[in-house]
Amino acid sequence: MSILIVGLTGQTGAGKSTVAAKLAAKGVYVIDGDAAAREIMVPGASVLQTLAAVFGEDILNQDGSLNRKLLASRAFANRENTLKLNRITHPVITRLVKKKIEQAEKRGERAAVIDAAALLESGIAPLCELIAVITAPEEERLGRIMRRDKLNRSEALKRISAQLSEDWYRSHADIVLTTFPPEKANSEVEKLIALIDEKTNTL
């Protein structure tokens, strides 16, 4: 494959979306894992029926659409439930991401960055030649999750505890970037772009 595949991941609230947006603004092609997940969960999709069977029929609204907040409250309540969610959704998301990569390669993109929280636990990680892990202190991540998802502290802590540790993420990284303090994000993005440039020049 002549296109460089870069995985962008990290714990919830670490700032992946911020980094992804800055990369996209610099002209780097970014595949949004959350958007891919939404694409596979349109009303009537078979994956929704499987999710409903595991997490409760009430996660589906009357029109067949997904009640994302209710699913999230159950799927991220503990590590076991998060793994159940991943086993159901990851294979379908991986197929969609592969299709997007193929389309990007046909367009002549030199690199594709895949922004995905569970990238390392999915079938996407083996596709990546470079893994970038985004980090931020736990208290900072907690505040971001509470603001972003309108959760109380207890709910946000559940989200955090359902994920693997920062050390685990770091152990799988080719490069580790931080978004804290916030003003450091720009220089960290430049560091990643320089590494992407270096890698693509050797393809």
Side-chain angles (χ1 to χ4, degrees), residues 28-49:
V28 179
Y29 175 62
V30 176
I31 297 172
D32 184 339
D34 286 342
R38 287 192 293 273
E39 279 189 54
I40 68 159
M41 293 185 190
V42 293
S46 60
V47 70
L48 284 188
Q49 302 308 315

Side-chain angles (χ1 to χ4, degrees), residues 100-179:
K100 290 180 182 291
I101 291 170
E102 288 168 7
Q103 292 167 347
E105 187 172 25
K106 284 177 184 173
R107 289 198 306 271
E109 299 283 358
R110 65 192 181 100
V113 174
I114 305 166
D115 168 17
L119 181 134
L120 294 172
E121 302 165 81
S122 72
I124 297 171
L127 305 175
C128 301
E129 296 156 79
L130 177 64
I131 301 286
V133 167
I134 313 303
T135 65
E138 183 172 305
E139 198 61 31
E140 175 68 14
R141 292 192 294 110
L142 190 62
R144 291 174 182 176
I145 297 164
M146 290 168 68
R147 290 190 296 273
R148 181 191 70 197
D149 299 332
K150 297 178 175 57
L151 302 175
N152 61 38
R153 187 178 179 86
S154 175
E155 290 169 330
L157 281 169
K158 272 188 182 179
R159 293 274 181 97
I160 286 176
S161 63
Q163 286 196 311
L164 292 161
S165 69
E166 183 180 308
D167 286 344
W168 184 85
Y169 278 90
R170 283 177 174 271
S171 71
H172 291 79
D174 295 301
I175 182 172
V176 177
L177 310 172
T178 184
T179 59

